[in-house]
């Protein structure tokens, strides 16, 4: 597939179904978004944290601009998006990978993305065009995009109806799609197993993120929690947190981080994909090289 032979079909509940070429896509304003990008983990082990996460600067056309020209019908509520890849996954045969998102989310900067970090999208990341939904788990950002369908209900198929559905939230009966990034934080330093000197100050720091931003990160040192400093939320980027610590006792110490989202959701201790991350460090009396 090259850019010249690619096209995107937009159909379903729109007054103007459209087939958009790459050149036509380039006529829409180029928008850059720096956003955290996280795999939600295996759909068969949805509660296991994998912490496969990074940040990149993505560029493309805003899906909202493109859809405005297709004139969605009032009953359209969901966007179904299809990739060029199909096959059999865990016994389920599909013609193409298909995910969905609420149409109401489209105003929040969803991109028809053709560049990442200033380069053309590499083949493995969705060349020539992928969807990029900042604030949602990566699984929703369909690569090698071919078709978008507007619909009044969620998309059928194993990747929306069978997998990537969390248990209903309290007070609801509907399963909860794996869409919004749940609050999470990751300790970058100190590293697991690192030796630290007693009475020498170290910086504990890492990254925290959530759909809609993080308002607080607490750092746990040997089981007692302290509020860390957290950088303000800038768009869809992850936020750096840090705190200084001077170990006063030798021994093994657990250092943990726990984020609270702007909506007040707190990272769970265990049993969820966004469970608290912790590292064990080794505080020594003597210099580590003696
Ligand atoms: N077409 C298509 N899009 C896809 C997938 C896929 O298998 N096929 N995998 C999804 C999953 S599970 C993730 S985590 C992200 C990974 O995006 P990346 O390869 O750019 O990191 O792509 C998503 N988009
Ligand atoms: Mo994923």
């Amino acid at each position: 597939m090259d850019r010249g032979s690619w096209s995107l079909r937009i159909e379903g509940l729109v007054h103007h179904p459209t087939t958009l070429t790459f050149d036509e896509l380039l006529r829409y304003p180029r928008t850059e978004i720096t956003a955290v990008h996280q795999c939600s983990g295996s759909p068969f082990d949805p509660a296991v944290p994998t912490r496969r996460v990074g940040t990149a600067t993505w560029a493309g056309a805003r899906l909202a601009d493109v859809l405005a020209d297709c004139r969605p019908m009032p009953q359209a509520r969901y966007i179904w998006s299809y990739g060029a890849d199909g096959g059999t996954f865990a016994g389920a045969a599909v013609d193409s990978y298909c995910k969905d998102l609420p149409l109401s989310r489209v105003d929040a900067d969803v991109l028809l993305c053709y560049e990442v970090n200033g380069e053309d999208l590499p083949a493995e990341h969705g060349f020539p065009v992928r969807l990029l939904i900042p604030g949602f788990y990566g699984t929703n950002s369909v690569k090698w995009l071919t078709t978008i369908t507007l619909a009044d209900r969620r998309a059928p198929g194993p990747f929306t109806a069978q997998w990537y559905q969390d248990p209903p939230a309290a007070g609801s009966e509907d399963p909860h799609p794996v869409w919004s990034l749940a609050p999470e934080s990751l300790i970058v330093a100190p590293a697991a197993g690192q030796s630290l000197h007693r009475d020498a100050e170290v910086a504990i720091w890492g990254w925290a993120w959530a759909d809609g931003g993080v308002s607080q990160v607490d750092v746990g040192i040997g089981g007692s929690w302290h509020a860390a400093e957290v950088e303000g939320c800038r768009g869809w980027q992850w936020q750096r947190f840090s705190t200084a610590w001077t170990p006063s006792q030798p021994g093994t110490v657990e250092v943990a981080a726990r984020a609270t989202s702007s909506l007040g959701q707190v990272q769970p201790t265990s049993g969820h994909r966004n469970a608290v991350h912790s590292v064990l460090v080794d505080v020594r009396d003597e210099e580590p090289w003696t």
Side-chain angles (χ1 to χ4, degrees), residues 213-237:
V214 159
S215 58
Q216 185 179 334
V217 177
D218 296 297
V219 167
I221 301 171
S224 80
W225 294 90
H226 319 261
E229 285 183 26
V230 195
E231 144 185 280
C233 181
R234 284 165 303 142
W236 304 101
Q237 302 183 37

Side-chain angles (χ1 to χ4, degrees), residues 233-258:
C233 181
R234 284 165 303 142
W236 304 101
Q237 302 183 37
W238 56 14
Q239 296 160 251
R240 196 178 194 277
F241 67 87
S242 62
T243 194
W245 174 43
T246 307
S248 57
Q249 298 288 328
T252 301
V253 181
E254 184 179 47
V255 177
R258 187 178 63 199

Side-chain angles (χ1 to χ4, degrees), residues 15-232:
H15 290 291
H16 281 297
T18 307
T19 302
L20 201 70
T21 65
F22 195 82
D23 282 348
E24 287 165 338
L25 184 66
L26 289 184
R27 288 191 206 134
Y28 288 90
R30 181 180 175 283
T31 303
E32 273 195 10
I33 295 173
T34 302
V36 61
H37 182 53
Q38 181 179 22
C39 175
S40 59
S42 166
F44 307 115
D45 289 313
V48 174
T50 58
R51 307 190 176 98
R52 290 182 190 142
V53 59
T55 279
T57 298
W58 312 88
R62 295 183 75 237
L63 179 58
D65 294 345
V66 174
L67 283 188
D69 288 343
C70 303
R71 299 195 30 233
M73 295 179 185
Q75 62 272 39
R77 287 184 54 216
Y78 294 94
I79 291 172
W80 304 357
S81 54
Y82 296 86
D85 52 325
T88 300
F89 181 67
V94 292
D95 293 336
S96 60
Y97 184 78
C98 173
K99 296 292 294 187
D100 61 11
L101 74 145
L103 182 59
S104 56
R105 181 80 190 192
V106 165
D107 287 334
D109 287 343
V110 177
L111 291 186
L112 295 170
C113 167
Y114 43 74
E115 283 172 23
V116 62
N117 295 337
E119 316 244 322
D120 293 351
L121 214 53
E124 66 269 35
H125 295 294
F127 183 88
V129 177
R130 76 177 299 166
L131 207 59
L132 197 280
I133 311 169
F136 272 21
Y137 284 102
T139 180
N140 300 289
S141 292
V142 168
K143 303 192 271 191
W144 315 293
L145 192 63
T146 61
T147 308
I148 282 179
T149 304
L150 275 71
D152 59 1
R153 68 194 85 117
R154 292 206 59 207
F159 299 102
T160 51
Q162 190 177 344
W163 304 313
Y164 296 102
Q165 297 260 54
D166 284 340
S172 162
E173 289 184 1
D174 296 328
H176 187 76
V178 179
W179 281 338
S180 283
L181 292 169
E184 197 163 336
S185 53
L186 191 63
I187 299 167
V188 176
Q194 192 173 325
S195 296
L196 304 177
H197 306 214
R198 177 183 175 174
D199 296 332
E201 184 177 287
V202 289
I204 299 172
W205 74 272
W207 299 108
W209 63 94
D211 186 18
V214 159
S215 58
Q216 185 179 334
V217 177
D218 296 297
V219 167
I221 301 171
S224 80
W225 294 90
H226 319 261
E229 285 183 26
V230 195
E231 144 185 280

